[in-house]
Amino acid sequence: MRMRNSIFTLQGALSVLAISIMVGYAAEALQPTPERSGAIYAQDPAPSPPPGQATPDQRTAKSSTFMGTIVKDGSEFVLRASSGDVYRLDTPDKAQKFEGKSVKVTGKLEETARLIHVEAIEEASA
């Protein structure tokens, strides 16, 4: 009987040891670190430049010419290019007078936003 009690005691001690090791691993696994949790350590996005100041992408981009039709999309005017692509325009006041007309837009394309920083809009010659 004495042997049986010592086995239960040894088994109990090993069980407690195993449980404490598992709790320790679980506690470590739940600790936030930069590698594990980008949300907790997320950096603020780069601040946007003040109005009228070009972003780095805009400064290095070259002016291009886009052909298409100015159409109203909700509250803004967009260029529906001959290829079917749609580009937002940063100057709705310039675009409004060309609504429904075929135009040639000269400007710098901000590809990620699909936004043309308009330099000039003129009616396309037929």
Side-chain angles (χ1 to χ4, degrees):
M1 188 83 155
R2 197 151 173 71
M3 177 88 155
R4 188 171 183 179
N5 287 340
S6 64
I7 291 175
F8 283 129
T9 306
L10 181 60
Q11 185 179 15
L14 290 175
S15 296
V16 169
L17 179 64
I19 290 171
S20 52
I21 289 172
M22 286 188 282
V23 169
Y25 278 122
E28 183 182 339
L30 294 174
Q31 292 294 322
T33 62
E35 299 84 30
R36 292 186 188 144
S37 176
I40 293 175
Y41 294 96
Q43 296 178 353
D44 291 336
S48 57
Q53 201 174 32
T55 63
D57 291 343
Q58 294 167 357
R59 286 190 293 253
T60 58
K62 294 182 181 178
S63 292
S64 299
T65 302
F66 304 88
M67 302 294 289
T69 305
I70 300 292
V71 294
K72 191 165 186 172
D73 182 26
S75 62
E76 61 183 12
F77 291 94
V78 297
L79 175 70
R80 177 160 298 148
S82 311
S83 64
D85 292 331
V86 176
Y87 300 98
R88 294 180 21 240
L89 304 171
D90 71 342
T91 54
D93 52 326
K94 287 183 185 178
Q96 184 176 8
K97 60 186 169 187
F98 294 103
E99 183 178 5
K101 297 180 181 175
S102 292
V103 294
K104 177 172 88 171
V105 177
T106 304
K108 295 178 182 176
L109 176 62
E110 191 176 325
E111 290 185 41
T112 55
R114 300 196 57 82
L115 173 72
I116 299 174
H117 296 278
V118 178
E119 295 169 3
I121 300 177
E122 56 188 61
E123 199 165 342
S125 51

